[in-house]
Amino acid sequence: MVGEEIVTSGSTSCQGCGHAILARLAFKAFGRKTIFTLVPGCIWITLSRNIPLFSTGTVFEGGGALVSGITNGLAARGIEDMNVVAFYGDGGTADIGLQGLSGAAERNENVFWICADNQAYMNTGGQRSGATPKYAQTTTTPASYIRRGKRTKRKNLPFIVAAHDVAYVGTASIAYPSDLVGKIEYAKGLKGFKFLHVQSPCPTGWGFSPSDTIKVARLTVQSGIWPLFEITEGNDFRLTYKPRELKPVGEALGLQRRFRHLTDGESQEIQSRVNGQWKQLLEIDGKRLPY
Amino acid sequence: MGHKELMVGNKAVAYGAVLSRVQVTSAYPITPQTTIVEYLADFIASGRLDAKFIEVESEMSAQVSVQGASWAGARAFTATSGPGLLYMHHPMMGCRLPIVMAVVHRSNKSMQPDHTDLMAQRDTGWIHLYCENTQEVLDTMIMSYRIAENDRVYLPVALGLDGYILSYTAEPVEIPDQDLVDSFLPPFKGRSAPHPDMTIEEWRANMSRGAGGYGTQKAWIDHHENMMAAKEVIVEVDEEFGKVFGRSYGGLYEEYNCEGAEAVIVAMGTIASTARPTIDDLREEGKDVGLVKLKTFRPFPHDEFREMAKRYNAFGVIDRNISIGSGGVVFNELRSALYNVDDKPSVLGFHTGLSGEEVTPGMVRRIAEKTLEAARGPVEPLVEWV
Ligand SMILES: Cc1ncc(C[n+]2csc(CCOP(=O)(O)OP(=O)(O)O)c2C)c(N)n1
Ligand code: SF4
Ligand SMILES: [Mg+2]
């Protein structure tokens, strides 16, 4: 991978942490003229000290406003050539951070928001978030006789952001580094609000071996659970990875303890939803989404 | 030399932002602050103020975005009232960036003013300056940036003005010339401001002069020390303002008609204005009671009150607030400041004007007369609602 290695070794994140892999890839692509910002979460606690760039943090709910203030403050000083990066978890993006995200997106602020999505509040011990998928076990959505893990689907975050008509929206996976880095390199040159939703497998929270992080990430992409696409010019939708045939979801789910309780019926439900969604994505591939 | 204009308090706030050459502003509308946001938007739209206006979706974002702008090296301003201020509480807490915020007081139990909104931010680590009239609002806006950005301080300032009574009431205000303001208030140099040509090491060295120690008790000690250092700075800035512009406000507090007084009443904000003529009348009647207008609530002038305690035998503290379950916030602080002075004066408490209820000269007279009585002998009750 080209680009200067910015993230230093020796972070306190767990072995096999998806966030750590993402940070290495992402900041190679951003380079040194970058300010990154933090809100509470695993990135701040375990990784931020290993990213020697200009940085600051704020309250959990304040991520969108912080980057908005910074980019405007820089612009007021005549500085337009620095990347202002929000590097937040799914909680800081999709839940408590959603209002500020929406505000910043609607104003089309000149910032780059990376959501490192490990699908739960990992830093507080793995509670459910709005990004936790249906049936996944978390510490607040246990699976037992009556409850079967999380009861509802996860929020469709990239489409929520895309509905704001912003400069760039994309999804990415750490198992497809050139796709990920390519998206950052392309989008960082655009003026306006850029959003990249990156799946960040968490061995501790999802219950898989730390050596399987990339494998889990790859299987979720190959099975259509985590489709890779981008939306440019506000509504131009394009899949960036199109396997001829999807792998069954069971392979990816089977590696993760959070799905161990699934019945055949529940697995089947996930499979048919993924199939249905993939069909829809193929239909809109290369097309303009309605505003 | 400046010129005079008739304007409401909210416009004086906006003028203050213009004269201070604010670079980034961000605010969310709420009665009675709303017109500040509108004036600023107008000033920016017409080119009178060269600033970025972040049209945020909430007060929480207003607060965090001005912090972001200030961190990035821009002079930043916001304004809010009551509920909006309470919504900002979390990001305000512990903030150590030199932003200025106007708080147009609004009660939580009415839309009218009392000081419960800003008093609820007592422990956030902000400097709190209360204003009495529209001229003071404009002047305090300019002084606030000088205080906030001072290297010994480097802390945010909240300046309070009573909703409606000041925000929507027009008074003649002298607007100083921009040149003069520019000479008084140099451009902002942010400690944490990044620059593309700066190395991380240079940037860190710059910052290390400021907020550090996260995760340790030292972070609190430093913040408190900078706050206490602000006492001196506030007085210096006020004196210099007086020299340059011909108006000053005593810095931390002002003693009005206190010469030879036996007792003083202590008032904040517009109640001080109501009190002035009443005190004049009482003095003419030969009653030796004066007025202490408390302008700076944080840092609290403990030592200064202890000095005053040598001169006055009674203090009648007017609280346009209540800490429910305890009492008047200023009353409690003042009494505790005087705990270990010799020949302790009496300290009486008066709650009045909450939810914007009118505070009349008659009420002030009653407060002053009771305080004077306490200077001569015990009175009951110690605390009352007027
Ligand atoms: C206002 C507020 N509420 C709750 C918390 C506690 N908290 C800290 S991190 C966190 C979860 C972070 O989740 P996410 O954003 O998904 O990041 P992750 O740790 O999973 O990477 C929570 C709930 C907080 N710091 N502030
Ligand atoms: S809990 Fe998960 S996200 Fe947090 S450091 Fe560990 S592996 Fe990374
Ligand atoms: Mg998370």
Side-chain angles (χ1 to χ4, degrees), chain B residues 201-355:
Chain B
E201 290 69 31
E202 288 170 304
W203 174 71
R204 284 192 182 145
N206 251 354
M207 272 222 304
S208 64
R209 294 184 296 133
Y214 180 84
T216 66
Q217 192 159 271
K218 189 163 181 305
W220 292 97
I221 297 171
D222 285 359
H223 196 149
H224 182 64
E225 278 174 0
N226 290 154
M227 177 63 80
M228 295 318 270
K231 267 169 60 168
E232 231 173 66
V233 174
I234 291 168
V235 173
E236 288 167 16
V237 169
D238 182 74
E239 274 167 11
E240 199 189 321
F241 192 90
K243 278 189 207 128
V244 177
F245 301 97
R247 288 180 298 276
S248 64
Y249 300 90
L252 304 173
Y253 61 92
E254 176 200 343
E255 289 175 273
Y256 176 77
N257 215 341
C258 287
E259 195 90 358
E262 272 181 75
V264 288
I265 60 168
V266 179
M268 297 165 84
T270 53
I271 297 180
S273 267
T274 311
R276 287 177 196 267
T278 309
I279 292 294
D280 292 343
D281 290 350
L282 288 162
R283 294 306 297 255
E284 256 171 47
E285 292 163 27
K287 295 178 175 150
D288 289 333
V289 56
L291 164 72
V292 174
K293 171 183 134 180
L294 182 59
K295 178 173 175 69
T296 303
F297 173 69
R298 281 289 180 273
F300 194 78
H302 289 96
D303 295 338
E304 293 74 6
F305 273 115
R306 276 197 276 273
E307 273 305 306
M308 281 186 253
K310 293 179 184 158
R311 299 194 293 275
Y312 313 127
N313 293 329
F315 290 80
V317 182
I318 303 178
D319 272 297
R320 191 169 217 154
N321 70 72
I322 180 164
S323 169
I324 296 171
S326 175
V329 177
V330 186
F331 170 75
N332 283 342
E333 297 236 357
L334 204 153
R335 281 226 305 174
S336 99
L338 303 186
Y339 178 73
N340 48 11
V341 298
D342 299 330
D343 297 326
K344 270 193 267 299
S346 321
V347 183
L348 302 183
F350 303 90
H351 294 280
T352 190
L354 272 85
S355 300

Side-chain angles (χ1 to χ4, degrees), chain B residues 315-322 326-328 331 347-354 362-374 379-386:
Chain B
F315 290 80
V317 182
I318 303 178
D319 272 297
R320 191 169 217 154
N321 70 72
I322 180 164
S326 175
F331 170 75
V347 183
L348 302 183
F350 303 90
H351 294 280
T352 190
L354 272 85
M363 289 152 76
V364 175
R365 170 178 279 269
R366 213 154 63 64
I367 291 167
E369 285 175 342
K370 183 177 167 189
T371 307
L372 188 57
E373 209 185 312
V379 294
E380 286 290 331
L382 199 63
V383 177
E384 64 175 301
W385 286 81
V386 179

Side-chain angles (χ1 to χ4, degrees), chain A residues 93-176:
Chain A
T93 301
D95 287 348
I96 201 166
L98 186 63
Q99 174 180 316
L101 165 69
S102 172
E106 185 254 342
R107 293 187 300 272
N108 208 13
E109 300 285 7
N110 190 27
V111 300
F112 203 127
W113 190 307
I114 297 201
C115 173
D117 188 356
N118 54 18
Q119 305 192 328
Y121 302 150
M122 291 312 177
N123 195 60
T124 37
Q127 300 80 25
R128 62 89 87 191
S129 78
T132 304
K134 190 171 179 186
Y135 292 127
Q137 282 207 65
T138 68
T139 54
T140 48
T141 56
S144 191
Y145 298 107
I146 297 171
R147 291 281 164 81
R148 305 292 306 154
K150 187 170 176 236
R151 285 186 290 176
T152 52
K153 293 198 314 183
R154 62 191 167 95
K155 294 182 191 181
N156 192 340
L157 193 52
F159 280 83
I160 291 174
V161 181
H164 290 76
D165 187 11
V166 296
Y168 183 86
V169 173
T171 62
S173 162
I174 53 171
Y176 293 82

Side-chain angles (χ1 to χ4, degrees), chain A residues 33 35 51-56 58-62 65-66 68-70 72-77 79 81-82 99-100 103-104 106-107 109, chain B residues 23-24 52 54-58 60-61 64-69 71-74 87 90-91 193-200 203-204 207:
Chain A
K33 285 189 182 180
I35 296 165
I51 309 173
L53 295 171
F54 305 104
S55 89
T56 185
T58 189
V59 293
F60 200 15
E61 64 274 25
L66 181 63
S68 302
I70 292 174
N72 277 282
L74 292 177
R77 293 175 55 216
I79 300 171
D81 60 342
M82 293 184 88
Q99 174 180 316
E106 185 254 342
R107 293 187 300 272
E109 300 285 7
Chain B
Q23 294 167 287
V24 175
K52 307 282 174 196
I54 310 178
E55 300 150 42
V56 282
E57 78 302 326
S58 73
M60 185 278 295
S61 285
V64 175
S65 60
V66 291
Q67 291 182 11
W71 179 87
Y87 188 28
H90 182 197
H195 193 278
D197 303 330
M198 198 184 234
T199 65
I200 291 297
W203 174 71
R204 284 192 182 145
M207 272 222 304

